[in-house]
Amino acid sequence: MGVAKTLLADDKGLLAVDESPGTCNQRFAVFGIAQSEAARRAYRELILTAPGLVDSIGGVILHDETLHQSTKWGQAFVEVLREAGIVTGVKVDIGAKDLAMHPGEKITEGLDGLRERLNTYFRVGARFAKWRAVITIGHGLPSRASIEANAHALGRYAALCQEAGLVPVVEPEVLMEGHHSLTTCLEVTEQVLLAVFIQLDHQDVRLDGMILKPNMVLAGLDCPQQLSAEEIADVTVDCLRRTVPAAVPGIAFLSGGQPAKLASQRLSTMNRRSRSRLPWALGFSFARAIQQPALEIWRGNDANVLPAQQALLHRARCNRDACRGTYEIASDQQ
């Protein structure tokens, strides 16, 4: 419970650096960066050693590969984070696979052997974990089977985490891809969150010892009607108030592929309009929305490390301002 409160305390958020080697390599390829373990380690070092990262980030989610890596001078990344005052987390699912008999839908796997892996992660130094479930909106989708199967997996994962002494970050992501309206996303997000909390209750998960990582309620990327930050903020907050128990200490939104500045603006608008009447902290758990500018600057060149770190820290600070409701996209010059 103490760790769960710490992660989003003082208007800080989570930084997701947990891309799989394959995903990381795909992003490297865009900028002509070597697709190798050495390049991934160097990029993680750039991020995790950025001076002052702790000012805006309470916890960092690592991939298994990164959790066991070290800096070029031999210091384990887990130790780098501990010395900086940042809590180490780890992604523990092994990815979304096709859901049997349900074309177009996914189920996240990784429960087999998870107890043993969690105990190992705790010994290494991790104090929280993350499991991502993905829900697709489409013609006749999502099915009830997809919602229930993914909610059940999230509940079992969360219980295993708490048994091992780790805070579970519970991530049910309703994907942005599609032509669906904001109203449809709202309906699906409510169904998903209600199903998740029913399963968390069935598995005896302590709600005050977890963090929820949901999507914002948004129209699909291909929907012709895209609403204002104020409308998105109000609908998202109302959805959460109807579905998320007050015992949950914090909600850390995923960015889901939103442009960095837009994700910050929407989070800031929620906090500015609603913060005083909410039982939980509204924060962030962003990956690309913090990392992308740094990656574009770095491009695998050691000479670009410092400006890349400065860009990373800028985006982190912007999101801490968003947690306070003070970020304005018009004044964000970087």
Side-chain angles (χ1 to χ4, degrees), residues 95-323:
K97 312 296 182 182
D98 291 340
L99 180 61
M101 306 299 292
H102 290 82
E105 297 191 287
K106 303 288 185 180
I107 179 67
T108 301
E109 298 183 349
L111 290 172
D112 289 350
L114 181 57
R115 174 179 279 117
E116 291 74 23
R117 289 193 290 126
L118 291 173
N119 289 331
T120 298
Y121 290 143
F122 186 90
R123 288 195 300 271
V124 171
R127 290 298 177 265
F128 72 103
K130 191 203 80 168
W131 179 290
R132 174 177 178 252
V134 293
I135 304 295
T136 302
I137 297 178
H139 182 67
L141 304 181
S143 66
R144 198 67 212 174
S146 171
I147 293 174
E148 294 293 342
N150 279 291
H152 179 73
L154 283 166
R156 289 185 60 196
Y157 141 80
L160 285 164
C161 282
Q162 292 188 345
E163 178 187 82
L166 297 166
V167 171
V169 173
V170 175
E171 181 179 0
E173 178 179 2
V174 177
L175 297 173
M176 292 172 56
E177 288 76 11
H179 295 81
H180 55 272
S181 67
L182 180 138
T183 300
T184 299
C185 182
L186 171 62
E187 293 171 351
V188 172
T189 301
E190 285 194 1
Q191 293 175 28
V192 170
L193 290 177
L194 288 171
V196 167
F197 280 102
I198 287 172
Q199 289 296 330
L200 291 171
D201 178 64
H202 288 343
Q203 301 296 330
D204 295 324
V205 173
R206 287 288 302 260
L207 299 184
D208 49 0
M210 62 161 281
I211 297 292
L212 179 68
K213 182 175 178 177
N215 55 280
M216 298 181 189
V217 178
L218 304 168
L221 291 173
D222 298 321
C223 178
Q225 186 178 13
Q226 298 292 327
L227 303 181
S228 69
E230 289 74 18
E231 292 170 304
I232 290 168
D234 291 347
V235 170
T236 300
V237 169
D238 286 346
C239 173
L240 296 173
R241 291 180 68 200
R242 289 193 293 270
T243 55
V244 182
V248 174
I251 296 172
F253 288 104
L254 57 91
S255 55
Q258 299 176 72
K261 294 182 180 181
L262 202 53
S264 301
Q265 182 68 36
R266 289 165 171 168
L267 176 59
S268 185
T269 304
M270 288 183 215
N271 278 302
R272 185 169 62 252
R273 293 168 73 87
S274 304
R275 176 172 171 150
S276 63
R277 60 189 176 92
L278 299 178
W280 8 253
L282 284 185
F284 60 92
S285 180
F286 293 165
R288 277 176 290 174
I290 293 178
Q291 290 186 46
Q292 191 65 20
L295 181 60
E296 292 178 6
I297 293 170
W298 178 58
R299 295 177 180 263
N301 187 342
D302 287 346
N304 297 333
V305 167
L306 182 57
Q309 288 179 328
Q310 291 172 341
L312 178 88
L313 294 170
H314 172 74
R315 288 259 50 88
R317 287 192 297 268
C318 286
N319 287 302
R320 190 178 190 188
D321 289 343
C323 292

Side-chain angles (χ1 to χ4, degrees), residues 30-87:
V30 174
F31 300 107
I33 302 170
Q35 297 166 52
S36 65
E37 181 180 355
R40 294 193 298 272
R41 192 214 59 77
Y43 178 55
R44 307 307 196 194
E45 180 177 311
L46 179 159
I47 294 171
L48 302 180
T49 62
L53 187 64
V54 69
D55 294 340
S56 304
I57 300 298
V60 173
I61 308 169
L62 303 178
H63 188 272
D64 179 89
E65 177 183 71
T66 314
L67 188 73
H68 296 96
Q69 289 176 329
S70 302
T71 64
K72 59 188 175 185
W73 59 88
Q75 185 178 24
F77 284 146
V78 174
E79 183 64 17
V80 170
L81 291 173
R82 189 193 67 78
E83 288 187 357
I86 299 173
V87 184

